[in-house]
Amino acid sequence: MGATSEQGDDAESDEKPAHQVTLSSFSICKHEVTQEEWEAVMGSNPSNWKGKRLPVETVLWDECQTFISKLNSLTGKHYRLPTEAEWEYAARGGSRSQGYKYSGSNILDNVAWYKDNSGSMTHEVMTKSPNELGLYDMSGNVGEWCSDCYGDYSSSAQTNPKGASSGSYRVVRGGGWFRSARYCRVTFRSLNAPSDRSDDLGLRLAL
């Protein structure tokens, strides 16, 4: 996890040091939560751009928790936001990883909607190529809330890390439609206050 060699000079200081992480098994959704899915649970759609298969955006971290709680009540399952470590493992392609800089390719246009090709808007999920695990849009489209509080990395090996024990900010991963390429890398870390509402912030579910 963190600034491994393929990230080169684009790596930021908070992506260091790279460190070993071991994760228990988990599942993660192949695409971001869509507006259709959000509206089916919440009865409303806060998104700036409207479309059933567009990723939901303009959602607060706390609203994501409400969505997940209602979804779990409806389904009897235990959905949640991924941890930052789980998100990065999935974005890198897991055990099938080919060591790409972005999620699924070293050529960002193949796998992501971002500043250079998005037309300054979101796009329907699963319209770019998937990564090695068959996951879509982990680079670009919208940034994705993680469960972790934002904090510095440790050099020590960790098992199932869950981020800082406390903090004012939550981790956001994946870049987004308005971000340049360097911010769509699999190791890039962003942070937002849970109360931040932006049309480049969405979510992906883990289980």
Side-chain angles (χ1 to χ4, degrees):
M1 184 175 182
T4 42
S5 60
E6 80 286 341
Q7 300 302 312
D9 293 339
D10 285 341
E12 305 274 353
S13 59
D14 69 349
E15 299 168 33
K16 302 172 183 178
H19 52 287
Q20 189 71 34
V21 170
T22 302
L23 295 172
S24 300
S25 295
F26 68 99
S27 297
I28 193 165
C29 189
K30 68 171 61 176
H31 58 75
E32 298 142 327
V33 171
T34 64
Q35 294 176 29
E36 182 177 37
E37 291 164 340
W38 181 276
E39 193 164 356
V41 173
M42 300 291 279
S44 60
N45 182 1
S47 303
N48 183 32
W49 296 281
K50 296 295 196 289
K52 290 182 177 181
R53 296 293 293 169
L54 293 176
V56 70
E57 25 86 358
T58 322
V59 289
L60 308 181
W61 191 90
D62 289 336
E63 290 172 341
C64 294
Q65 300 305 313
T66 301
F67 167 79
I68 289 168
S69 179
K70 289 184 176 183
L71 179 64
N72 288 344
S73 294
L74 288 168
T75 62
K77 296 185 177 181
H78 298 282
Y79 293 102
R80 56 181 174 80
L81 292 177
T83 66
E84 184 179 17
E86 289 171 338
W87 191 98
E88 184 171 319
Y89 177 80
R92 285 177 173 272
S95 60
R96 301 176 187 174
S97 177
Q98 298 296 305
Y100 295 128
K101 191 170 188 173
Y102 311 107
S103 184
S105 180
N106 286 324
I107 303 172
L108 188 55
D109 281 276
N110 292 345
V111 293
W113 297 107
Y114 69 113
K115 182 178 180 180
D116 290 358
N117 66 7
S118 70
S120 299
M121 61 188 296
T122 60
H123 290 260
E124 290 191 1
V125 299
M126 300 175 63
T127 51
K128 288 289 187 177
S129 296
N131 75 356
E132 301 96 313
L133 289 175
L135 306 176
Y136 295 81
D137 300 305
M138 296 202 78
S139 289
N141 219 4
V142 293
E144 301 176 14
W145 287 111
C146 293
S147 61
D148 306 45
C149 288
Y150 177 86
D152 293 334
Y153 284 163
S154 167
S155 60
S156 60
Q158 300 171 62
T159 299
N160 296 322
K162 295 185 177 179
S165 58
S166 62
S168 300
Y169 298 96
R170 297 285 175 172
V171 174
V172 175
R173 288 297 204 108
W177 57 265
F178 81 102
R179 296 272 198 170
S180 59
R182 68 177 299 165
Y183 302 115
C184 296
R185 297 175 295 106
V186 292
T187 61
F188 177 73
R189 311 175 72 206
S190 182
L191 68 157
N192 285 81
S195 58
D196 285 349
R197 188 185 298 280
S198 174
D199 59 12
D200 71 316
L201 278 177
L203 73 155
R204 182 184 304 260
L205 297 174
L207 181 67

